[in-house]
Amino acid sequence: MKVLEGKTALITGASKGIGRAIAQKFADMGANVAFTYLSSVEKGQALENELSQNGAKVKGFRSDASDFKQAEQLVEDVVKEFGKLDILVNNAGITRDGLLMRMTEENWDAVINTNLKSVFNLTKAATKHMMRAKTGSIINITSVVGIKGNAGQANYAASKAGIIGFTKSVALELGSRNIRSNAIAPGFIETEMTGELDAAVVEGWKQAIPLKRAGSGEDIANCAVFLASDQSAYITGQVLQVDGGMLT
Ligand code: NAP
């Protein structure tokens, strides 16, 4: 039996990168998959077509995770379409890097709203249904940068550190309802988000990683499958680093 058979998952920001890899892996593992995208409409529709061909129930929704009302409506639409919601993966995220001296208020707000407020929006809406069902697994994608900090990413690091505090608080609040809340902290993962970085800099980073390579979306997706499945039934409030040993 596939470990996510019979479960329904909602993944934000799955038109590409890590979210896309999670959607693909969840469908492979037997889950019914709802996912979102925002600007990459064609990619979102292509993913829906791709995954539907494997027999899973799959639907993509165009929805802005940073918008409270859109998030509420999204969860209502998903529950209406799929009948329930067992797993929420808060993955949508952006970067607007710059040193603090040059960071604009717009770039601060955009990153905090997309990366952190979105997690509040979706979790609040989803847990309403999970509490009724007395089961749920919430997986928030943070970053090693939220643990360590990073020069030039004060906004991003703050959003990702905020996710960790939020994840643990939800675990404490909702454990008694059998709702688990965990975070994954990826290290350096090769996606479009990291694709624009200078090749020489990237090579230097890889050499500093104990496993001597960048991670893939699949590396993160494998961890997400574990946290989504009943195999992690006694794990909540944790941050799992998937970083090739980068912070060790
Ligand atoms: P990516 O390739 O740039 O993909 C980001 C995804 O988020 C896209 O599908 C994008 O959808 C979606 N998105 C952005 N804003 C959104 C919004 N307001 N509402 C809904 N969806 C939105 O990035 P990635 O590298 O896969 O990163 C995914 C997550 O992992 C992020 O939270 C990121 O911070 C985290 N992470 C990444 C790394 C890394 O090394 N790549 C490391 C640590 C953590 P559209 O394109 O359709 O707008």
Side-chain angles (χ1 to χ4, degrees):
M1 160 147 169
K2 295 177 172 178
V3 292
L4 299 182
E5 200 94 58
K7 294 193 188 284
T8 295
L10 169 59
I11 303 151
T12 64
S15 52
K16 54 195 180 190
I18 291 171
R20 183 183 167 87
I22 293 173
Q24 286 171 320
K25 187 66 79 176
F26 275 22
D28 278 357
M29 292 296 151
N32 293 322
V33 175
F35 70 89
T36 71
Y37 50 90
L38 186 57
S39 56
S40 310
V41 178
E42 279 179 20
K43 285 184 182 172
Q45 286 165 351
L47 181 66
E48 183 177 317
N49 292 338
E50 180 197 316
L51 298 185
S52 299
Q53 281 165 16
N54 301 338
K57 181 173 167 67
V58 179
K59 191 167 169 58
F61 296 81
R62 188 172 191 197
S63 180
D64 183 350
S66 69
D67 184 298
F68 185 79
K69 287 212 155 56
Q70 284 189 41
E72 262 189 332
Q73 186 60 51
L74 168 70
V75 169
E76 290 313 309
D77 292 346
V78 168
V79 171
K80 200 168 166 197
E81 180 80 26
F82 289 79
K84 61 179 185 143
L85 180 56
D86 305 294
I87 302 155
L88 170 66
V89 183
N90 285 307
N91 166 78
I94 57 167
T95 51
R96 295 284 184 274
D97 297 350
L99 295 172
L100 183 58
M101 290 281 282
R102 293 199 204 106
M103 188 173 288
T104 62
E105 184 185 3
E106 272 170 356
N107 284 350
W108 172 268
D109 288 346
V111 168
I112 296 294
N113 288 337
T114 303
N115 296 8
L116 180 58
K117 189 182 175 209
S118 62
V119 178
F120 163 73
N121 293 343
L122 270 302
T123 306
K124 190 170 163 65
T127 49
K128 201 171 88 183
H129 297 279
M130 290 175 172
M131 280 199 282
R132 248 181 248 137
K134 295 193 175 59
T135 184
S137 176
I138 298 156
I139 300 163
N140 298 321
I141 308 299
T142 175
S143 166
V144 290
V145 167
I147 298 169
K148 189 179 181 289
N150 198 20
Q153 288 197 307
N155 50 359
Y156 185 77
S159 73
K160 294 300 185 180
I163 288 177
I164 294 173
F166 182 85
T167 300
K168 293 183 182 216
S169 302
V170 170
L172 294 171
E173 278 188 34
L174 298 180
S176 62
R177 312 292 185 104
N178 195 32
I179 296 171
R180 300 184 294 111
S181 167
N182 292 291
I184 298 174
F188 175 55
I189 311 299
E190 276 173 330
T191 66
E192 278 185 37
M193 186 180 269
T194 49
E196 289 161 15
L197 297 165
D198 181 76
V201 173
V202 167
E203 194 46 43
W205 285 352
K206 286 182 187 172
Q207 287 318 310
I209 295 169
L211 289 181
K212 301 292 174 209
R213 68 169 177 91
S216 65
E218 195 180 3
D219 289 320
I220 306 304
N222 285 329
C223 184
V225 167
F226 172 64
L227 290 175
S229 78
D230 296 339
Q231 292 182 346
S232 59
Y234 202 51
I235 299 176
T236 194
Q238 302 305 303
V239 182
L240 279 183
Q241 282 170 229
V242 183
D243 65 356
M246 186 192 253
L247 285 199
T248 305

